[in-house]
Amino acid sequence: MHSNRTILAIFKDYEDAAFWSNLLRDVPGVVRVTAGDNPASILESLRQTGMEATLTIISTKLYPLNSQEIIPIVRKNFPATEFLLVSSSQEAAPPLQPLIKDGVRHLVIDPVGPDKGSQMVRAVRKLMEKSPWKMGDYLFSGASVHEFRISSSEQKEELISAIGGLIPGDSEEAEMLREKGALLADEMLENAMYGAPRDESGGKIFQKGEKRAMLPGERIVFRFGFDGETLAMEVADGWGSLSPETVMEHLEPEQEGGEVAGDWGGRGLFILWRFLDQLHISITPGRQTVVGGHIRLTTTEDPLTTPRGFHISTFN
Amino acid sequence: MEKTFRVEHKRGDTLDSFTFHGNIDALAELCLRELPALVGRPAVTIDFSNAGRINSMGIALLLRCLKAIREEKKAEITLDGLNQMTSMLFKMTGVFLLATQAK
C-alpha cells in the first residue's frame, strides 16, 4: 500500500529518467514511470493499489510535444494531483498553449545555477507542503529582505531607485541587473496599484499614470533583496483579483505588431516572466495576490528565447 | 537622466528626427499620441539614447504611435540609440515589426 502523499514522476524514456535521477534522489517517495511502459495501464494499476498522487512531475521531453494525452490519463486516475513540468535548461522552452489548455501551472527549468540547489527539488517541497514561495527561498541565508508598505503612487520612483542602490559595481552585468530590476519593480508596482484594484463588477478602479493614494484598508507591500548574486522581489496586494487562467493566457508572446491591448497588465506579466529567471504568482482569491520572482546577476541570455519557469498557485 | 518624458523634433528635407527624453510610461501618452501628426517626411528616426526606463504601458503607447506613423503617414521608421535592455524589450514585444533598428 502506498502513502497517500505519493509523488508520481513520468518520463519519456529511461534516458530521460536517468537525467533527472540525481535530483530526484533527494526527494523521498517518488514513483517513477516511463511513457514507453504503457503509462495508462501502469497508472490505473497504481490507483488500484490505493496510491494517491499528490503531485505529478512530468518531463518536457514527454509533454507536451510527445504526449499531450498524458495529462488527461493522470487526471483520470488522480483527479486531485498537481502537475509540475520539469525541463532541462539545455532544452527549448515548451509551447504554452497545451499547458494553458491542460491547466499546468508549474514549470521549472533545471539545472539553473550552483550553490542554491535544484529548482525542481525546491518546487517539489513547496508543492507538497502547499506553501507559497518566499523571496528568502532564493537568497543566501542572512541576506536582508527590505519591506515597504505603499501609501501613494508617488513612492514608485523612490522604491525603484532603492533597488538600484542595492546592486553595487560598474560591471556590465551589474548595470544590466539594475536596469532589469527597475523595469521589473515598475511592472510589479503598476500591476498592484492600477491592475489589481477592481470594483464590484470587475472593472478597473484606477487608470495607469494617475496619482493615487491607497484606499482605506488597502494594503500593498513591496519586498526586495539582493544577496550579491540573486535579486529577488515581490509585490503583495490585498485584492486577489488576478486569476490563474488570465496569468497563463498573458504568458503567450504578443507579437501582433502594433495591436494595443486594452488590458495593459497582460503585456506587463509577459515582460515579468521573460526577464525573471522564475516567476511566482500566488493568488488567494478576493484577498491577496503576490507577484514576484528572482533574477541572477549572471543571467545574460536572451530573455525572449531562454526557457523560463513559472509557478502560479492558488490558496484558499 | 530626466524622469519626465518629452520629445524633441527636428525636420529635415527628407527626414523627421525625434529624440526621446525620460521614462516612457503612462505619462508619455499625450506626447506619443500627438507625435504622428508632426510627421511630414517619408522617413522618421527616433533617438532613444536619452530615454530612460520603458515599461509595458510605454511599450503599448509606443506601438500605437509607430503604427499610426506607418499607416497614416506611410513613413519608414528607424530607431536609434537603443541600449541592450531596450533592444531586448523591443524584440520581445514586437516593436521591431513596425520599425527598424539603426545599424
Side-chain angles (χ1 to χ4, degrees):
Chain A
M1 183 68 76
H2 290 278
S3 152
N4 64 1
R5 303 258 303 154
T6 303
I7 299 167
L8 184 62
I10 308 176
F11 302 102
K12 179 174 179 243
D13 49 33
Y14 292 109
E15 186 184 344
D16 188 24
F19 177 84
W20 294 100
S21 63
N22 273 347
L23 294 175
L24 280 175
R25 203 170 43 199
D26 297 333
V27 182
V30 180
V31 174
R32 301 169 204 213
V33 174
T34 54
D37 298 334
N38 188 355
S41 167
I42 291 175
L43 295 184
E44 188 170 347
S45 299
L46 289 170
R47 176 175 55 83
Q48 286 170 352
T49 68
M51 173 179 145
E52 288 181 24
T54 306
L55 176 65
T56 301
I57 300 168
I58 300 181
S59 163
T60 54
K61 283 216 167 179
L62 174 64
Y63 171 88
L65 291 181
N66 285 298
S67 171
Q68 289 210 17
E69 64 276 16
I70 193 68
I71 299 285
I73 291 172
V74 175
R75 280 222 172 93
K76 181 182 167 195
N77 288 282
F78 307 109
T81 196
E82 183 70 86
F83 290 95
L84 171 63
L85 202 56
V86 293
S87 181
S88 160
S89 55
Q90 306 304 311
E91 301 287 330
L96 280 183
Q97 271 304 322
L99 280 64
I100 294 169
K101 178 175 76 67
D102 291 328
V104 176
R105 293 171 187 161
H106 301 275
L107 167 67
V108 292
I109 312 298
D110 235 336
V112 164
D115 305 328
K116 297 229 170 125
S118 157
Q119 294 267 16
M120 181 185 73
V121 173
R122 186 184 293 117
V124 167
R125 289 188 180 131
K126 287 285 181 185
L127 289 168
M128 291 302 284
E129 292 166 2
K130 296 188 185 301
S131 62
W133 271 260
K134 293 196 171 80
M135 284 183 27
D137 296 336
Y138 291 94
L139 298 173
F140 285 125
S141 175
S144 298
V145 173
H146 306 267
E147 179 173 311
F148 295 89
R149 184 166 175 174
I150 313 295
S151 59
S152 158
S153 57
E154 299 289 284
Q155 288 173 274
K156 190 179 90 170
E157 290 303 326
E158 181 190 341
L159 292 170
I160 288 172
S161 296
I163 291 174
L166 274 186
I167 303 163
D170 298 325
S171 68
E172 199 175 314
E173 284 177 340
E175 180 53 32
M176 181 59 81
L177 188 62
R178 281 191 287 269
E179 287 185 31
K180 287 179 180 173
L183 175 61
L184 295 167
D186 187 330
E187 296 295 346
M188 288 179 192
L189 288 165
E190 292 260 310
N191 178 66
M193 289 192 289
Y194 301 102
R198 300 284 168 149
D199 60 24
E200 287 178 359
S201 59
K204 286 186 180 176
I205 299 174
F206 301 104
Q207 297 303 312
K208 284 197 175 181
E210 71 174 285
K211 292 178 184 175
R212 60 156 303 210
M214 296 306 105
L215 298 171
E218 183 181 13
R219 182 180 168 83
I220 296 178
V221 178
F222 182 41
R223 302 181 190 94
F224 57 89
F226 179 64
D227 66 5
E229 180 188 284
T230 299
L231 174 66
M233 62 177 83
E234 67 180 25
V235 175
D237 70 65
W239 294 87
S241 54
L242 206 54
S243 76
E245 293 80 12
T246 302
V247 176
M248 287 298 293
E249 284 163 10
H250 287 319
L251 299 189
E252 278 280 78
E254 299 187 31
Q255 293 283 11
E256 66 269 50
E259 184 66 31
V260 181
D263 183 2
W264 312 109
R267 191 174 278 109
L269 283 169
F270 175 68
I271 289 171
L272 282 176
W273 178 47
R274 296 315 307 172
F275 276 105
L276 287 165
D277 288 347
Q278 190 87 20
L279 170 69
H280 300 271
I281 298 185
S282 301
I283 304 162
T284 310
R287 288 164 51 199
Q288 179 173 262
T289 301
V290 183
V291 177
H294 70 281
I295 183 170
R296 287 164 300 134
L297 182 63
T298 53
T299 298
T300 54
E301 305 94 344
D302 181 347
L304 187 58
T305 55
T306 306
R308 301 291 196 214
F310 55 78
H311 294 291
I312 300 158
S313 308
T314 50
F315 299 92
N316 295 321
Chain B
M1 182 73 72
E2 298 172 51
K3 296 284 186 194
T4 307
F5 184 71
R6 68 182 175 89
V7 177
E8 267 181 62
H9 177 211
K10 287 180 187 165
R11 175 166 290 175
D13 291 340
T14 57
L15 181 74
D16 278 301
S17 303
F18 295 92
T19 303
F20 286 180
H21 297 262
N23 291 338
I24 305 178
D25 56 19
L27 298 177
E29 182 166 15
L30 184 61
C31 284
L32 290 176
R33 197 195 309 149
E34 292 175 346
L35 190 146
L38 300 174
V39 173
R41 300 287 182 260
V44 169
T45 63
I46 303 175
D47 181 359
F48 284 81
S49 52
N50 291 315
R53 194 174 65 250
I54 308 173
N55 69 11
S56 58
M57 184 69 179
I59 291 287
L61 296 170
L62 196 56
L63 285 168
R64 186 163 64 188
C65 173
L66 299 178
K67 192 176 181 185
I69 293 171
R70 279 177 62 106
E71 292 182 355
E72 295 164 19
K73 302 290 181 169
K74 310 294 182 200
E76 290 300 314
I77 308 164
T78 304
L79 308 181
D80 204 356
L82 303 180
N83 63 22
Q84 192 184 350
M85 178 75 180
T86 307
S87 293
M88 286 193 292
L89 196 56
F90 284 2
K91 189 176 168 192
M92 74 166 64
T93 53
V95 171
F96 289 140
L97 298 176
L98 294 167
T100 308
Q101 182 169 6
K103 295 187 177 167

